[in-house]
Amino acid sequence: MIFIAKFATPQTDWKRTVQLRGKQRLVAGVVAAAFVGAVTAGGVTLAQANTAAKAPVSSVQVVVGPESEPGQPSSARCPQGMGAINGGFQAISFYRSNGGDPYDGVTANAPFKDGKGWVAMLLAGKVRARAVCVPEDQAPQAAVGPVSEEDALSVARCPEGTKAIAGGYVRDTWYKNGYGASLDDITVNAPNDSGTGWAAKQFHGKTVARVLCS
């Protein structure tokens, strides 16, 4: 009796490999479909999940106040339904002596009492205030500190559970010589150590701190 052994040809192996890979792809496709189906059944598609993960973009608007008269305030008021989150100023004219030394001073640089804008003022020159405004539901709360003693701190404290994110000061008194040159300056304009308020202090005069809290 003669036994004939049959060996798989390369062509047969290739067919089996294709069939095996096809089954593997089919299983992977079924698993992927089941995963996507489960996510979709939960009410959120993968595209929706990716979109939801992106943080919303706030609508920020910068407001520029009018040029002030010499030694007078400029106010940048936020549009209706918005509040200030920060601000500052641009000096249009800053007085100096005949020798070129500055004798002006920034006597106010602070949020409004109600937090709806920003105010700035120079001792003698012209200034323009600027405010960074956000929608009211995103805007911080404003608080005003007491009038300080001379050469002493005024601290505007945030409501409980909030922290200072910006602030400033408005002078109550400001020292100057008989020629109108500034003899005063701001020596403190910063959040307090705990971050629960804003501190301001002048070299000679009295000041009032203001703070924005969130």
Side-chain angles (χ1 to χ4, degrees):
M1 182 177 295
I2 299 174
F3 294 93
I4 301 175
K6 294 185 178 181
F7 296 93
T9 65
Q11 184 176 5
T12 303
D13 287 345
W14 176 81
K15 288 181 180 179
R16 288 177 181 175
T17 300
V18 170
Q19 290 173 351
L20 180 58
R21 288 180 179 173
K23 290 179 182 179
Q24 288 174 338
R25 287 178 184 147
L26 178 61
V27 171
V30 171
V31 171
F35 173 73
V36 173
V39 173
T40 306
V44 180
T45 66
L46 292 176
Q48 289 171 336
N50 289 334
T51 301
K54 296 178 181 178
V57 178
S58 299
S59 177
V60 178
Q61 185 171 340
V62 174
V63 176
V64 180
E67 181 179 311
S68 73
E69 294 299 319
Q72 296 300 310
S74 170
S75 296
R77 182 172 294 279
C78 292
Q80 185 70 28
M82 301 186 83
I85 195 171
N86 210 330
F89 68 93
Q90 175 190 0
I92 305 302
S93 63
F94 202 87
Y95 279 59
R96 63 185 68 192
S97 68
N98 292 333
D101 295 325
Y103 67 79
D104 218 332
V106 182
T107 58
N109 182 27
F112 287 1
K113 290 181 179 180
D114 63 3
K116 305 294 185 183
W118 203 269
V119 63
M121 185 167 63
L122 299 184
L123 178 66
K126 299 179 181 180
V127 72
R128 181 174 281 131
R130 299 188 180 192
V132 181
C133 306
V134 295
E136 206 162 32
D137 60 351
Q138 300 174 32
Q141 303 176 62
V144 179
V147 177
S148 72
E149 296 298 323
E150 291 191 342
D151 186 23
L153 283 175
S154 171
V155 180
R157 302 193 181 279
C158 291
E160 187 175 354
T162 63
K163 294 281 190 177
I165 62 170
Y169 61 90
V170 175
R171 68 102 178 96
D172 186 68
T173 62
W174 192 278
Y175 279 63
K176 56 186 176 180
N177 65 18
Y179 299 99
S182 175
L183 296 176
D184 218 336
D185 207 347
I186 293 294
T187 58
V188 177
N189 181 33
N192 60 4
D193 291 347
S194 64
T196 58
W198 198 270
K201 181 182 177 183
Q202 286 176 215
F203 185 75
H204 283 304
K206 301 177 181 180
T207 193
V208 177
R210 296 184 184 180
V211 66
L212 295 176
C213 310
S214 182

